[in-house]
Amino acid sequence: MTKKSSKKKVPGKASGRKAASKSPVSGSRSSAGKKSVRQRKIAARTKARIMVGMGTCGRAAGGVKVFEALEQLLKAGKVKAELEQTGCIGMCSQEVLVDVQLPGRTRVLYGNIKPVKEKHIKVLEQIVEKHLIGNSVVKEHVLGQIRPTDGEKPFDDVPYYEELSFNSAQERIVLRNCGSMDPESIDEYCARDGYKALTKALKEMTPDEVIDEMKLSGLRGRGGAGFPTGLKWGFAAMSKADEKYMICNADEGDPGAFMDRSVLEGDPHSILEGMAIGGYAMGAHTGYIYVRAEYPLAVKRLNIAIAQARERGLLGKNILKSGFDFEIFIKQGAGAFVCGEETALIASIEGKRGMPRPKPPFPANHGLWGKPTNINNVETLANIAPIILKGGAWYAGFGTEKSKGTKVFALAGKISNPGLIEVPMGKPLRDIIYDIGGGCPGGKEFKAVQTGGPSGGCIPASLIDTSVDYESLAQAGAIMGSGGMVVMDENTCMVEMARYFLNFTQEESCGKCVPCRVGTKRMLEILERIVDGKGEEGDVELLKDLGEDIKAASLCGLGQTAPNPVLSTIRYFRDEYDAHIHEKRCPAGVCKALFQYKVEDPFCKMCGLCVKKCPVGAIQGGAKKLAKIMDEKCVKCGVCIEVCPFDAITQIDAREKVEV
Amino acid sequence: MKVIIDGKVIDAKPESTILEAARKEGVHIPTLCYHKKLSPYGGCRLCIVEVEGIPRLVASCTTPVTEGMVVRTDTEQIKKVRKTIVELILSNHPNECMVCEQNGRCELQDLAYEFGLKEIRFVGEKNVHPIQNQNPLIERDYNKCILCGRCVRMCDEVQGVGAVDFSQRGFHAKIATEYDGVLSCEFCGNCVEVCPVGALTGKISRFKGRSWEAKKTKTICNYCGCGCTIIMHAKDGQVVRVSHSEDTTVNEGCMCVKGKFGFEYINHEDRLKTPLIRKEGKLQETTWEEALGRVAENLARIKKEYGSNSIAGLSSAKCTNEDNYVFQKFMRTVIGTNNVDHCARY
Ligand SMILES: Cc1cc2nc3c(=O)[nH]c(=O)nc-3n(C[C@H](O)[C@H](O)[C@H](O)COP(=O)(O)O)c2cc1C
Ligand code: SF4
Ligand code: SF4
Ligand code: FES
């Protein structure tokens, strides 16, 4: 059963404006209802504040330039305001985001500010002029305003973010601070109840009580396997040793996943706090954060956060005079997917090649440097502080019977509102795809969604009402995984999709065990043949047979799950495989070997545009001559289709043309 | 500790793995990466078994037994998966058995036979590696390598050298030296000994005889006083190869470069076969009686003319302890001097 947030609103009821319905926003506060210190502090703001979205997504969209432009504008001196950076609020498609909050007024978010164009600098000027000075909203770029707290005065005719369809189905526990505060400021974190849970754990709870609270919460590891966190901490606590380690797994190697990165960039202190609480519970005094070196911003912010926490005595010796010591070190990984697997991760920290080893012995008994070690995922750790602060029972109020709490997903692929979302467990896929994601862009039909990244499976449109929880997803042949969610529309070829994911796992296999090293390679070769129009009778059976053996025999989770994308697409889209193999036809029109372009005689006006634009000179004809595509030269880039003003070029099955 | 393997109650040592417990009772479980001298690895996955209460198949070579554990080693699924694994290995393996040094003692060949693999279902890319033979002793042909990692573990865990390790990922994973340079190690050849296939071979032995043609003689290496047990392989009266002995002996089956590869002197034409004595300024063959007689004569003469302490004796580590004992006894009692020393002392 899903516990509904007290602030939940009917999806889609918000503003009908295009920008707003597209705009993913949140900042919605927890449903705990009580006014916290942080809310009071924010309400008591005396200075105007501007925040610029500067997570990796914001920066990629030009956040740094927007920040600098605003700095310049403020330097002009007309008005005073605090200028800050913040992390990803989830609506990556709307970056760069600029938040403005005047004293006594609600916080307003502007989206889609692109710094490259003159007109956007104008928008910034308008924001300064109209909003900061004039106390009114620049309507054209506004996404919405955060619901008022403590008597903040809202603006008229501006929709509430929480009511935007993107947000209405969300529940932000992990992402509570992301995009709503300066991640480089420990003060802001503290103002938002930061380190209160650590204080509570150290001062009011015994380690056993902390573990009991975790068990009560029902939190399961968010790194993929879904093992109950309280139980895992309990094992590590029971292990007797002179030294124990607490590791944060921030390897995040799934293609298309950016949940953990966003939390590290947007709320690094929450991870430190979660680790320290875990360390206290199990008796570990040293923590490692294993983060990929491709996340330089996350590394930078973690370093800043660690230094700040040390300075405040929240890390180091005798934390908060409790007698508990805890240090955290960062270990940067070289970005191998397999190093996210816990035993490979441990080997990597030890300076060895990142190869998994068999379990038992489990890390809880024999981990880093042979000592009892607990490994938790970033998202798991971001849940710890709220659980300790509000209680395990509160957390268990969200979600289903066996899957408690919320889950963060990176919504990507053919979806109108890509971004980072957090929903209570048990939410139907339909709500996520349509209400939050806004369906497939361009009115295309939704075909399937891949959950769990390369280790996961795909769920077809017919199962769109599947509840998002560990058990239901597994039953549908997919997995929860770490939270990647790739949406596919009618133009996605499922065979090609399976090939893509398998290509990834094959390249990322550590090469230790035979089924994964050679087996995935042989599966990949069969898939390559099929998409290349060279599939043979029996290929699908061979894929299924080999896939099952690889799953059964591989050493680690990588190999044990690598065949999933193939097996699940065979299960639900067998007809597409058959079309490729028997009819040499790609129903989605994606596989290049299986289609050709053709100029339709009566429509070609002989303008010669395609002849000019074809990058490989594969089109003959031109002025006053019918265009003709030379198939041997054509690389099927599709430029001609795009440029033809008369829609005279069409894509046809390769076999059709031969017959013509 | 009681363990039930294929319905048979077995008394297993508490620290043993399922594989060790099963083998002790004669239960056959195929393996490739397992080697009793090395740490368990779990890479080839051939030794998978089913354990009641564990939802997935486990590698018996890495899983310790627990009290009351119920194990099955031969279900239809296990047999099918094992066969697939061997097929997969063979799909990336050259068909060179006819000219392979390992023919007849190759563990992969035995498995292909065991599973009756006349045909394999998988065809595809095969890795192509240049043959590495820039040194006079060990040839590395990684086209035949099955990545069992035995050589890596042998070199690291037993020899303590670490000359080879894994490199690259996925299908292109391989065994390599540092920066793919030439092999720079002690050339003990212990990796050659543990390689289950023909990827690592001793160059001197190449094409000198098939494994079944050689007469194998268990003996003691005479290079030094360690007394390592070795097996000499001879074909047509010529020693063609030396291999380690599986027995638990003083060297536990390991050798050094001399024992492993230094056997060519045995049949060498320059080898001394009789004592030589200098006559008229030239070394000439003679009998032991004459040679030893001359030594005794001279020792007696020197002792008489110049006294016992004008003679010193130096012994060799190549001799056994017993020989060395007799030698010092001889120096002290017969010659009458304490001037006796041994090469291992300096
Ligand atoms: C191939 C592979 C890759 C993995 N990658 C990650 C990862 O990037 N991040 C992560 O937290 N867990 C990853 N895991 C899961 C970890 O092994 C481990 O279960 C997890 O970190 C435990 O933390 P949790 O209990 O909090 O989920 C991976 C597992 C496998 C098999
Ligand atoms: S399953 Fe793949 S990644 Fe895991 S140990 Fe085996 S080869 Fe390495
Ligand atoms: S060279 Fe031989 S011992 Fe080394 S990994 Fe390859 S097959 Fe195994
Ligand atoms: S022998 Fe057990 S995995 Fe290779």
Side-chain angles (χ1 to χ4, degrees):
Chain A
M1 207 195 68
T2 312
K3 182 184 160 181
K4 299 223 164 123
S5 148
S6 56
K7 282 176 187 158
K8 189 175 148 78
K9 285 284 172 310
V10 184
K13 205 186 137 197
S15 154
R17 287 185 314 118
K18 208 172 167 220
S21 66
K22 257 191 134 183
S23 5
V25 172
S26 180
S28 109
R29 306 216 158 123
S30 74
S31 55
K34 271 202 294 183
K35 276 173 201 133
S36 64
V37 178
R38 135 195 142 213
Q39 287 166 330
R40 267 179 261 125
K41 277 211 178 146
I42 287 166
R45 225 169 246 298
T46 53
K47 243 192 193 165
R49 179 169 75 152
I50 307 180
M51 288 197 296
V52 180
M54 280 168 76
T56 292
C57 47
R59 281 168 185 254
V64 176
K65 281 196 178 143
V66 170
F67 192 87
E68 286 166 359
L70 278 165
E71 232 173 7
Q72 288 300 322
L73 288 172
L74 291 176
K75 262 202 197 131
K78 276 196 200 168
V79 61
K80 278 208 164 48
E82 284 170 11
L83 182 61
E84 289 175 6
Q85 53 178 329
T86 188
C88 169
I89 200 166
M91 47 178 172
C92 309
S93 62
Q94 298 292 314
E95 291 284 2
V96 178
L97 293 161
V98 175
D99 269 40
V100 180
Q101 185 165 29
L102 295 173
R105 301 300 306 258
T106 48
R107 184 178 142 209
V108 176
L109 272 92
Y110 295 96
N112 248 320
I113 314 275
K114 300 277 180 280
V116 274
K117 297 208 183 98
E118 202 46 33
K119 76 170 192 228
H120 287 102
I121 302 294
K122 284 241 168 60
V123 175
L124 293 176
E125 281 168 11
Q126 276 176 17
I127 291 174
V128 171
E129 289 287 330
K130 268 185 90 177
H131 194 149
L132 279 180
I133 301 175
N135 206 351
S136 67
V137 168
V138 184
K139 290 263 165 69
E140 302 77 51
H141 277 270
V142 78
L143 297 171
Q145 59 184 331
I146 303 282
R147 278 194 167 278
T149 46
D150 282 315
E152 287 169 353
K153 194 163 160 264
F155 292 92
D156 295 338
D157 296 335
V158 175
Y160 286 119
Y161 289 122
E162 294 85 345
E163 292 177 14
L164 298 177
S165 55
F166 186 83
N167 292 312
S168 56
Q170 293 202 44
E171 183 63 56
R172 291 169 76 97
I173 297 173
V174 171
L175 302 177
R176 59 194 180 279
N177 295 327
C178 286
S180 298
M181 64 162 214
D182 180 356
E184 294 182 11
S185 160
I186 192 171
D187 288 324
E188 285 206 34
Y189 181 67
C190 290
R192 297 171 76 93
D193 295 350
Y195 290 109
K196 274 199 185 158
L198 178 63
T199 312
K200 180 176 171 185
L202 293 183
K203 301 242 152 122
E204 298 165 26
M205 298 168 85
T206 64
D208 283 345
E209 281 167 353
V210 172
I211 290 171
D212 287 344
E213 207 61 48
M214 292 308 301
K215 285 183 181 159
L216 188 64
S217 75
L219 174 66
R220 292 167 65 173
R222 300 295 191 235
F227 194 83
T229 307
L231 218 54
K232 195 146 121 180
W233 286 15
F235 291 146
M238 276 187 312
S239 264
K240 296 268 171 289
D242 52 349
E243 179 83 75
K244 296 181 189 180
Y245 296 101
M246 169 87 193
I247 298 178
C248 166
N249 187 343
D251 189 56
E252 196 166 51
D254 299 22
F258 49 91
M259 300 77 56
D260 296 348
R261 194 199 68 215
S262 293
V263 175
L264 296 170
E265 290 177 358
D267 195 10
H269 282 287
S270 69
I271 304 305
L272 308 187
E273 187 173 5
M275 287 177 77
I277 293 170
Y280 173 68
M282 69 193 71
H285 300 289
T286 309
Y288 281 92
I289 302 177
Y290 187 86
V291 54
R292 50 179 45 225
E294 288 103 317
Y295 284 0
L297 186 62
V299 173
K300 177 182 157 216
R301 290 191 173 152
L302 282 170
N303 273 318
I304 293 173
I306 290 172
Q308 288 173 341
R310 271 195 198 129
E311 202 182 292
R312 298 278 170 99
L314 295 161
L315 282 179
K317 291 252 173 284
N318 195 14
I319 296 173
L320 298 167
K321 302 203 172 59
S322 64
F324 173 62
D325 307 336
F326 195 68
E327 281 291 355
I328 294 180
F329 301 98
I330 293 179
K331 167 78 190 179
Q332 292 189 48
F337 177 52
V338 72
C339 284
E341 196 282 336
E342 52 193 13
T343 57
L345 185 151
I346 288 172
S348 179
I349 294 183
E350 289 173 348
K352 300 182 188 140
R353 179 179 161 93
M355 284 216 279
R357 62 152 177 82
K359 294 179 274 190
F362 289 93
N365 302 316
H366 188 94
L368 185 62
W369 318 117
K371 303 291 182 188
T373 301
N374 178 80
I375 300 182
N376 279 124
N377 164 259
V378 170
E379 188 183 332
T380 312
L381 290 167
N383 275 306
I384 307 301
I387 290 173
I388 295 303
L389 213 52
K390 296 176 184 168
W394 162 80
Y395 190 82
F398 299 95
T400 65
E401 196 196 328
K402 284 190 176 152
S403 304
K404 300 294 187 197
T406 59
K407 178 78 193 84
V408 180
F409 290 100
L411 203 52
K414 307 282 183 64
I415 187 93
S416 297
N417 306 328
L420 201 66
I421 61 163
E422 182 172 356
V423 292
M425 294 274 190
K427 184 135 296 265
L429 268 175
R430 180 186 294 283
D431 293 9
I432 296 177
I433 308 284
Y434 288 106
D435 295 350
I436 300 178
C440 302
K444 293 267 165 64
E445 201 179 316
F446 165 72
K447 186 176 192 173
V449 57
Q450 172 89 9
T451 66
S455 322
C458 90
I459 299 176
S462 59
L463 296 179
I464 183 133
D465 289 311
T466 301
S467 142
V468 175
D469 59 69
Y470 289 98
E471 288 71 29
S472 309
L473 288 178
Q475 208 184 355
I479 59 165
M480 176 76 75
S482 56
M485 213 177 243
V486 183
V487 180
M488 290 160 256
D489 69 10
E490 55 192 280
N491 290 358
T492 312
C493 170
M494 302 313 282
V495 186
E496 166 55 27
M497 201 274 310
R499 188 208 60 80
Y500 167 81
F501 278 120
L502 199 67
N503 188 48
F504 173 84
T505 33
Q506 160 59 37
E507 280 181 0
E508 293 294 327
S509 156
C510 81
K512 177 167 179 173
C513 69
V514 179
C516 174
R517 180 182 73 238
V518 193
T520 57
K521 171 75 175 172
R522 297 296 172 240
M523 282 184 82
L524 178 63
E525 286 168 337
I526 298 172
L527 287 167
E528 283 169 347
R529 271 207 331 260
I530 296 176
V531 297
D532 211 25
K534 296 180 186 132
E536 292 162 15
E537 182 74 51
D539 274 352
V540 174
E541 286 65 34
L542 195 55
L543 280 174
K544 273 165 68 173
D545 202 64
L546 178 54
E548 291 301 344
D549 288 351
I550 294 172
K551 285 180 71 157
S554 289
L555 192 165
C556 85
L558 193 150
Q560 287 160 8
T561 58
N564 285 352
V566 184
L567 297 177
S568 68
T569 47
I570 291 178
R571 175 167 163 193
Y572 295 118
F573 299 95
R574 173 72 193 243
D575 53 331
E576 288 197 29
Y577 281 84
D578 287 341
H580 282 76
I581 295 170
H582 302 303
E583 300 164 38
K584 306 296 173 206
R585 183 173 66 83
C586 172
V590 171
C591 297
K592 287 191 176 175
L594 301 180
F595 69 77
Q596 282 177 340
Y597 295 128
K598 188 184 165 205
V599 181
E600 302 283 348
D601 205 343
F603 302 111
C604 173
K605 299 282 182 281
M606 306 178 212
C607 69
L609 197 57
C610 59
V611 180
K612 246 191 252 157
K613 294 281 173 166
C614 174
V616 293
I619 312 181
Q620 281 176 336
K624 306 238 163 66
K625 256 175 90 190
L626 202 65
K628 185 170 181 298
I629 299 173
M630 292 174 287
D631 296 329
E632 346 51 86
K633 269 194 160 180
C634 171
V635 293
K636 313 211 174 134
C637 66
V639 164
C640 52
I641 293 201
E642 263 168 48
V643 298
C644 177
F646 313 106
D647 289 340
I649 304 176
T650 51
Q651 182 177 325
I652 57 167
D653 288 347
R655 289 203 316 178
E656 245 173 78
K657 185 149 177 180
V658 174
E659 283 155 18
V660 165
Chain B
M1 189 176 278
K2 290 267 171 299
V3 179
I4 300 165
I5 299 182
D6 295 335
K8 227 166 64 181
V9 182
I10 281 172
D11 192 30
K13 269 208 230 119
E15 27 349 312
S16 65
T17 61
I18 299 175
L19 179 71
E20 286 160 351
R23 287 213 167 150
K24 218 180 89 218
E25 295 298 317
V27 177
H28 170 68
I29 296 176
T31 56
L32 264 182
C33 67
Y34 170 81
H35 194 284
K36 68 174 180 200
K37 278 208 281 282
L38 308 172
S39 66
Y41 182 63
C44 74
R45 316 305 290 166
L46 272 169
C47 68
I48 44 161
V49 295
E50 200 180 279
V51 174
E52 229 174 73
I54 300 180
R56 57 172 36 260
L57 301 175
V58 299
S60 60
C61 70
T62 61
T63 311
V65 290
T66 53
E67 181 64 48
M69 189 181 238
V70 181
V71 181
R72 294 213 60 89
T73 70
D74 61 348
T75 66
E76 285 311 309
Q77 190 203 7
I78 290 172
K79 282 191 233 168
K80 170 174 173 288
V81 172
R82 283 181 186 155
K83 179 164 164 282
T84 300
I85 291 171
V86 183
E87 277 182 282
L88 287 171
I89 297 174
L90 291 173
S91 75
N92 181 35
H93 198 84
N95 284 329
E96 266 178 34
C97 296
M98 278 192 279
V99 286
C100 182
E101 281 303 312
Q102 204 76 357
N103 194 354
R105 56 184 148 96
C106 172
E107 294 179 36
L108 180 60
Q109 212 177 43
D110 294 346
L111 285 164
Y113 184 81
E114 179 180 336
F115 289 98
L117 290 174
K118 273 183 77 169
E119 260 172 56
I120 51 172
R121 291 171 294 164
F122 315 110
V123 272
E125 185 189 336
K126 287 185 179 186
N127 277 311
V128 180
H129 303 285
I131 291 175
Q132 307 279 355
N133 59 1
Q134 302 89 337
N135 66 76
L137 301 178
I138 299 174
E139 176 165 310
R140 296 176 293 144
D141 178 357
Y142 289 135
N143 299 302
K144 294 179 185 170
C145 171
I146 57 161
L147 287 173
C148 67
R150 286 191 194 174
C151 55
V152 174
R153 280 173 287 152
M154 175 50 99
C155 193
D156 174 38
E157 295 170 8
V158 179
Q159 205 61 22
V161 173
V164 285
D165 207 337
F166 290 86
S167 100
Q168 308 295 325
R169 278 200 300 236
F171 186 67
H172 299 289
K174 60 172 186 178
I175 304 293
T177 51
E178 202 176 10
Y179 301 109
D180 281 328
V182 295
L183 189 61
S184 140
C185 65
E186 295 177 359
F187 293 96
C188 64
N190 287 321
C191 57
V192 176
E193 281 301 311
V194 293
C195 182
V197 294
L200 302 179
T201 46
K203 278 171 84 170
I204 311 165
S205 309
R206 290 179 64 79
F207 302 112
K208 299 261 171 69
R210 317 304 295 256
S211 57
W212 59 86
E213 292 173 327
K215 178 168 172 264
K216 295 166 194 77
T217 309
K218 190 158 141 189
T219 178
I220 300 288
C221 173
N222 63 1
Y223 264 109
C224 76
C226 280
C228 298
T229 306
I230 62 174
I231 297 173
M232 292 220 149
H233 299 237
K235 187 190 166 198
D236 304 333
Q238 306 269 309
V239 174
V240 292
R241 175 173 168 237
V242 170
S243 70
H244 68 206
S245 157
E246 289 291 339
D247 297 349
T248 313
T249 50
V250 53
N251 51 324
E252 294 185 355
C254 288
M255 277 175 274
C256 73
V257 59
K258 292 186 283 183
K260 172 73 186 156
F261 296 120
F263 57 82
E264 279 175 305
Y265 74 92
I266 298 170
N267 300 110
H268 202 281
E269 55 183 40
D270 291 348
R271 183 177 171 187
L272 288 184
K273 297 185 187 87
T274 58
L276 300 178
I277 212 163
R278 201 176 296 276
K279 285 183 187 160
E280 293 148 14
K282 247 179 149 184
L283 284 172
Q284 287 176 17
E285 290 191 359
T286 182
T287 58
W288 280 110
E289 282 74 26
E290 188 185 357
L292 289 175
R294 177 77 66 88
V295 171
E297 212 176 89
N298 280 329
L299 281 175
R301 180 177 53 82
I302 294 167
K303 182 178 166 185
K304 196 167 166 209
E305 269 180 44
Y306 304 100
S308 293
N309 281 337
S310 63
I311 299 172
L314 188 60
S315 173
S316 165
K318 283 181 92 167
C319 306
T320 60
N321 279 347
E322 291 81 352
D323 289 342
N324 279 314
Y325 176 80
V326 170
F327 182 70
Q328 62 84 28
K329 201 81 183 165
F330 168 79
M331 288 305 289
R332 291 187 219 278
T333 57
V334 180
I335 306 286
T337 177
N338 286 329
N339 292 341
V340 58
D341 215 332
H342 182 274
C343 71
R345 221 181 63 111
Y346 46 83

